[in-house]
Amino acid sequence: MRVTATATRTGQWWAIEVSDVAGGLHTQARRLDQVVSAVIDAVALVADVSPDAIEVDVIPILPEAEADLIESARTASQEAARAAERASRLSRQAVEQLRSEGLTVRDVGGLLGVSPQRVSQLLNA
């Protein structure tokens, strides 16, 4: 059985609503990471279903400003991860090219602003 729970922050609690159960279901949890277990316990009790048979999708409901801020933070994190991957790839290419031209590991490290140990790691990656 798969149910969807909407969780809305009210004071110090998350107010949880599950409309997939006959008559609807309301419960609460102190933290967002506790929503799934609270819903499983409540659905199992109300619907007389084994807790192992219940899957829960949680939809947190936040004020628009907070939701926008979270989305911006996630987007920035994804962009940073892509930039880090690109920087790593370009560093490996630079190390390979500079070493093939005869520069020492220390010189390559100095040019790239990394330690000689990091240059060796990039060579072996």
Side-chain angles (χ1 to χ4, degrees), residues 15-28:
I16 306 163
E17 182 179 347
V18 180
S19 57
D20 301 332
V21 177
L25 175 78
H26 298 278
T27 188
Q28 62 185 10

Side-chain angles (χ1 to χ4, degrees), residues 39-60:
V39 169
I40 288 174
D41 290 346
V43 170
L45 183 65
V46 170
D48 195 28
V49 176
S50 168
D52 296 333
I54 302 169
E55 294 181 38
V56 181
D57 295 318
V58 178
I59 301 173

Side-chain angles (χ1 to χ4, degrees), residues 66-119:
E66 290 175 5
D68 289 346
L69 182 59
I70 289 168
E71 182 59 31
S72 295
R74 286 181 178 170
T75 299
S77 291
Q78 292 168 351
E79 290 170 355
R82 284 191 295 272
E85 174 56 36
R86 182 172 184 264
S88 181
R89 185 178 61 252
L90 290 171
S91 293
R92 284 190 304 273
Q93 289 174 350
V95 165
E96 289 172 5
Q97 182 170 341
L98 294 170
R99 287 292 289 143
S100 72
E101 293 175 6
L103 274 74
T104 67
V105 169
R106 287 194 181 281
D107 286 345
V108 173
L111 290 169
L112 290 175
V114 299
S115 70
Q117 293 83 359
R118 180 65 182 139
V119 172

